[in-house]
Amino acid sequence: MPALACCVDAAVAPPGYAAFIAGDSSLPAAVPFSPSTTNAAAAAEPNTNLTHWSPAHSSALYRIDGWGAPYFSVNNSGNITVRPHGTDTLPHQEIDLVKIVKKVSDPKSVGGLGLQLPLIVRLPDVLKNRLESLQSAFELAIQAQGYESHYQGVYPVKCNQDRFVVEDIVRVGSSFRFGLEAGSKPELLLAMTCLCKGSPEALLVCNGFKDAEYISLALLARKLALNTIIVLEQEEEVNLVIEMSKKLSIRPVIGIRAKLRTKHSGHFGSTSGEKGKFGLTTTQILRVVRKLQDSGMLDCLQLLHFHIGSQIPSTALLQDGVGEAAQIYSELVRLGAHMKVLDIGGGLGIDYDGSKSGNSDLSVSYGLQEYASAVVNAVRFVCDRKSIKHPIICSESGRAIVSHHSILIFEAMSVTAPTTPSMSEINLPFIMDGLSEDARSDYCNLSDAAMRHENETCLHYADQLKQRCVEQFKEGTLGMEQLAAVDGLCELVSKVIGAYEPVQTYHVNLSIFTSIPDFWSIGQIFPIVPIHRLDERPEVRGILSDLTCDSDGKINKFIGGESSLPLHELEGEGGVSGGGANGRYYLGMFLGGAYEEALGGVHNLFGGPSVVRVSQSDGPHSFAVTRAVPGPSCGDVLRVMQHEPELMFETLKHRAEEFCGQDHNAALASSLARSFHNMPYLAAMSSSCSLTAMNNNGFYYCNEEEYNAAVESVAGEEEQWSYCCA
């Protein structure tokens, strides 16, 4: 730092600064990232020390063993692998995520599927394991505590309404009567259809606000021999249920959602407590009971439902809420209702950051078995004390069921790194020539503070100097070159005294608003990790910036309270390729299987990702892609906003004929058609065309050569429309 003063006063620099004065502004080797330290000061050692880094270090650094167990780990090649059967996964059954990406993104000509990223990888084996693990946890708790009824869960389809997700849950859960929960008319139609192939005893729980049509549909479901329960969310709904059931001559099964006093204090607890959005107070419950009794329908009341919020952080809070609900359940039995089911709602949390903490919205301090044991114990205690028959225990644990089974994979396309000039690049006389008297004074004070090793004072005067120069620039008394030189000087000051944090911006081929909307809307943080090169030490820290023209389109908060993420240099930016990724740099967002797809929008007209369904197999790579669907094309997302791509194409084609002539018309039309067909995301130069078309109710993909051949074959047609509608 005294070198700054030397440049002005020709004073002799103290020991250790000679190289700096000579123009070498490099610093001593910074402290490397360690498995236990991920703060901004933890930089990286040079590539020569890569042999000292192992996949185990990366696993600890990114907390993969915390949030990922038992489904995700790092293999010896430094790639993230999936353990599709959890703890029961055998070594040869592990699936390398990089191999999935390669299979999916490689052109068809070399055996790939030709899909474009971003990509959602669905893992039905993981989904099956989550469902069976939840069922097993409750069965063990029931057996251990001598509980005299059973557990019978439902999946709330709002978490992920994807057809194959819901169908998988119904199929896998059929053997233990697992059902579905719906909160709207289209969700009810979805649930009715899927449960036609499920267990006859599976519950169909109808939540949400209801009108006459919703209630009629739910009653019709009962007529179709589906085990349907209409849950009253608002007091006035009971009148509609009584009226419509008599009109249709269908005896309903009714539930009540109670508004508990037990309150979840975290972000997800806003639906709990007396002022919560949903449910009936004790006064309202008593009025509903009287109305049902007066109508001769009190025997129809068979279920009590409550929900104290998602991500319940501890079993203590859980038991408090379940105990309160069990008391209400017992009172309803006393009042003459034919109660059978206690629906404890959602709230079974997952550990997003691997901390196993009960003091955060990102984590929970319990596992599946502890959760189930706490619920069973709380219900059994109240019912035994009241001499009430143990009810069927139902839960709506959507987040815990589907979060792990889906992985969002996207690519870092480029990086913007802050640059700091060396001392030899800063022309101090040039800077001083244009400074005001106050700015000159700040510079002199900065130089004096540097000689005295007063780092905080240096920062103060550097910032003050910068601000004065900005004001001069605004007034027109300082040129752009001088302002840039002052900026460089101030950055150099920060770097030399150790206050400089060189966080780089990685530009990713993704829309946060479409694929990770909860980060933008509520600040929900998900684990984001490179899926390869984890046998290398991460060289830099970075934030992620998406493709949208929006300042909120960035991720600058990560698990562990970090404001940046340890990352590797991109190939061509000083880094090396690794993990079989052909020089590309892939990142994965994990635990996002719930809500993100349903909530995502089309900001900047970026549609959803491509989707593949991957199952474990005995093949050479341990997996098989059983379904592949490309993401929405530009034409698809335009159509969502009421545009008509076919007409748009014709308009542009006629414009090309008018202004470009016949010689180039075919080529321009071909280019326009490709643009409508392609996904909105950036395409790598080596990737194949993402044209898609329907073929036997599936999708096939063509490369650019095949597309051009097809265009040429019909080029002579008068009304050529080469936009293939998927």
Side-chain angles (χ1 to χ4, degrees):
M1 216 25 245
L4 298 175
C6 294
C7 292
V8 178
D9 303 327
V12 178
Y17 285 85
F20 184 79
I21 298 173
D24 181 6
S25 62
S26 60
L27 300 177
V31 180
F33 293 123
S34 70
S36 60
T37 304
T38 60
N39 58 36
E45 290 183 356
N47 286 341
T48 53
N49 291 327
L50 289 179
T51 54
H52 301 300
W53 193 262
S54 71
H57 289 112
S58 288
S59 184
L61 174 64
Y62 295 108
R63 303 188 180 191
I64 296 171
D65 292 337
W67 55 259
Y71 302 107
F72 306 108
S73 60
V74 184
N75 64 18
N76 291 333
S77 299
N79 299 340
I80 289 189
T81 60
V82 178
R83 307 181 75 231
H85 310 299
T87 54
D88 294 329
T89 305
L90 301 175
H92 72 277
Q93 295 175 324
E94 293 190 9
I95 303 171
D96 190 321
L97 275 181
V98 174
K99 291 181 180 178
I100 294 176
V101 173
K102 179 175 174 54
K103 174 66 177 177
V104 168
S105 61
D106 276 356
K108 289 191 71 178
S109 59
V110 294
L113 297 178
L115 265 67
Q116 187 178 340
L117 269 61
L119 174 72
I120 287 177
V121 178
R122 294 200 201 284
L123 302 160
D125 294 312
V126 172
L127 184 63
K128 178 176 183 288
N129 185 267
R130 291 298 293 174
L131 198 60
E132 292 175 341
S133 297
L134 176 63
Q135 182 70 26
S136 176
F138 270 99
E139 288 177 353
L140 286 173
I142 285 169
Q143 183 178 9
Q145 298 185 37
Y147 192 80
E148 296 175 356
S149 188
H150 65 274
Y151 169 75
Q152 192 172 335
V154 296
Y155 167 65
V157 297
K158 68 178 180 180
C159 291
N160 193 321
Q161 299 99 334
D162 180 80
R163 169 189 165 189
F164 298 98
V165 171
V166 180
E167 288 181 352
D168 278 347
I169 289 172
V170 171
R171 177 180 52 81
V172 172
S174 178
S175 61
F176 40 84
R177 300 166 290 197
F178 211 86
L180 299 175
E181 179 271 345
S184 67
K185 284 178 273 191
E187 286 186 352
L188 179 53
L189 289 167
L190 181 162
M192 290 168 62
T193 305
C194 290
L195 284 176
C196 286
K197 297 181 179 180
S199 167
E201 298 178 66
L203 296 173
L204 172 49
V205 177
C206 300
N207 289 332
F209 292 102
K210 304 170 190 69
D211 59 8
E213 184 182 10
Y214 188 137
I215 291 169
S216 297
L217 192 59
L219 290 169
L220 175 60
R222 191 143 193 90
K223 190 76 171 177
L224 299 177
L226 297 174
N227 193 6
T228 310
I229 302 177
I230 301 173
V231 178
L232 305 178
E233 303 267 6
Q234 305 292 319
E235 184 180 356
E236 57 269 21
E237 290 174 359
V238 69
N239 299 321
L240 275 175
V241 172
I242 293 171
E243 177 187 345
M244 297 307 299
S245 64
K246 290 180 177 179
K247 183 177 179 179
L248 298 173
S249 299
I250 300 174
R251 196 78 172 169
V253 174
I254 299 171
I256 289 178
R257 178 167 180 169
K259 189 176 289 187
L260 302 187
R261 266 75 166 185
T262 303
K263 186 166 177 60
H264 172 6
S265 60
H267 167 81
F268 295 105
S270 59
T271 56
S272 62
E274 293 181 89
K275 298 186 183 298
K277 177 180 178 181
F278 300 105
L280 281 64
T281 64
T282 51
T283 302
Q284 292 174 315
I285 290 173
L286 289 172
R287 286 202 293 261
V288 166
V289 168
R290 283 195 293 269
K291 285 182 182 179
L292 291 173
Q293 192 169 31
D294 293 343
S295 301
M297 296 175 64
L298 188 55
D299 62 309
C300 296
L301 180 56
Q302 298 181 15
L303 177 144
L304 178 68
H305 169 46
F306 72 93
H307 178 65
I308 59 175
S310 296
Q311 286 288 108
I312 296 174
S314 67
T315 54
L317 177 63
L318 173 67
Q319 285 187 295
D320 193 20
V322 173
E324 182 185 351
Q327 293 287 355
I328 298 175
Y329 181 94
S330 300
E331 289 298 298
L332 289 172
V333 172
R334 181 182 64 80
L335 292 170
H338 290 197
M339 301 300 292
K340 295 181 180 179
V341 182
L342 179 59
D343 181 353
I344 65 174
L348 171 54
I350 61 172
D351 192 356
Y352 286 103
D353 64 5
S355 66
K356 303 293 186 289
S357 168
N359 301 314
S360 167
D361 287 335
L362 297 178
S363 186
V364 292
S365 61
Y366 54 82
L368 285 179
Q369 193 59 62
E370 293 166 290
Y371 175 87
S373 297
V375 170
V376 172
N377 180 65
V379 178
R380 181 185 59 81
F381 177 78
V382 172
C383 290
D384 286 352
R385 190 174 61 183
K386 297 273 190 171
S387 298
I388 298 293
K389 182 180 178 181
H390 294 171
I392 296 169
I393 295 175
C394 174
S395 75
E396 303 176 5
S397 306
R399 185 188 301 268
I401 291 173
V402 298
S403 290
H404 297 77
H405 97 286
S406 178
I407 306 166
L408 173 68
I409 297 176
F410 51 96
E411 184 179 359
M413 306 295 284
S414 63
V415 61
T416 300
T419 56
T420 305
S422 66
M423 198 67 226
S424 61
E425 296 174 310
I426 297 176
N427 189 339
L428 291 176
F430 174 66
I431 295 176
M432 297 294 291
D433 184 55
L435 297 185
S436 66
E437 288 301 318
D438 288 339
R440 285 173 177 267
S441 177
D442 288 332
Y443 178 79
C444 292
N445 290 330
L446 169 62
S447 180
D448 291 342
M451 293 296 294
R452 297 192 300 270
H453 297 268
E454 296 174 355
N455 290 350
E456 291 298 324
T457 305
C458 285
L459 285 176
H460 168 74
Y461 282 116
D463 183 64
Q464 195 161 288
L465 170 63
K466 188 173 183 177
Q467 293 305 315
R468 291 192 196 278
C469 291
V470 169
E471 291 302 319
Q472 278 192 252
F473 178 75
K474 290 179 179 179
E475 294 169 358
T477 60
L478 195 69
M480 184 182 293
E481 296 87 350
Q482 290 170 305
L483 181 63
V486 171
D487 286 339
L489 174 64
C490 293
E491 288 173 6
L492 185 61
V493 169
S494 296
K495 180 177 181 179
V496 171
I497 67 176
Y500 183 72
E501 298 181 3
V503 175
Q504 301 185 10
T505 300
Y506 279 61
H507 304 283
V508 295
N509 200 10
L510 185 74
S511 165
I512 291 167
F513 302 91
T514 299
S515 296
I516 320 178
D518 269 343
F519 178 82
W520 165 71
S521 60
I522 63 172
Q524 172 70 43
I525 298 175
F526 298 91
I528 297 176
V529 184
I531 66 168
H532 60 127
R533 296 179 61 182
L534 297 178
D535 54 344
E536 304 173 28
R537 188 188 305 276
E539 301 269 337
V540 297
R541 298 196 70 92
I543 63 171
L544 308 180
S545 177
D546 76 356
L547 296 180
T548 65
C549 302
D550 197 303
S551 58
D552 287 332
K554 63 182 178 182
I555 300 177
N556 55 4
K557 294 180 182 177
F558 303 89
I559 62 171
E562 297 295 324
S563 58
S564 61
L565 186 69
L567 295 167
H568 305 85
E569 292 183 349
L570 301 187
E571 185 180 24
E573 303 285 345
V576 295
S577 62
N582 297 323
R584 299 183 183 177
Y585 193 52
Y586 297 116
L587 297 149
M589 189 273 279
F590 295 80
L591 309 187
Y595 298 109
E596 300 314 290
E597 293 172 59
L599 293 175
V602 288
H603 186 33
N604 263 164
L605 296 187
F606 285 106
S610 300
V611 180
V612 293
R613 178 180 163 92
V614 178
S615 296
Q616 187 267 319
S617 76
D618 295 328
H621 298 304
S622 303
F623 71 89
V625 178
T626 59
R627 182 172 175 80
V629 181
S633 67
C634 291
D636 293 332
V637 292
L638 285 166
R639 194 175 286 111
V640 168
M641 304 305 293
Q642 310 304 312
H643 296 280
E644 298 183 40
E646 295 85 356
L647 296 181
M648 295 168 68
F649 172 80
E650 289 299 325
T651 299
L652 294 172
K653 190 176 73 167
H654 291 317
R655 185 81 167 183
E657 292 172 354
E658 181 181 356
F659 287 92
C660 303
Q662 292 296 326
D663 293 341
H664 303 288
N665 183 49
L668 286 171
S670 173
S671 178
L672 285 170
R674 277 200 300 273
S675 294
F676 279 107
H677 278 297
N678 290 343
M679 286 177 68
Y681 295 94
L682 304 184
M685 293 300 292
S686 60
S687 70
S688 66
C689 174
S690 62
L691 284 170
T692 64
M694 294 302 294
N695 180 27
N696 297 326
N697 295 320
F699 292 89
Y700 68 83
Y701 317 90
C702 66
N703 60 33
E704 189 168 351
E705 291 180 1
E706 293 170 338
Y707 174 82
N708 288 334
V711 170
E712 290 173 6
S713 68
V714 294
E717 296 183 11
E718 179 66 21
E719 293 296 330
Q720 177 193 341
W721 165 238
S722 50
Y723 181 88
C724 305
C725 299

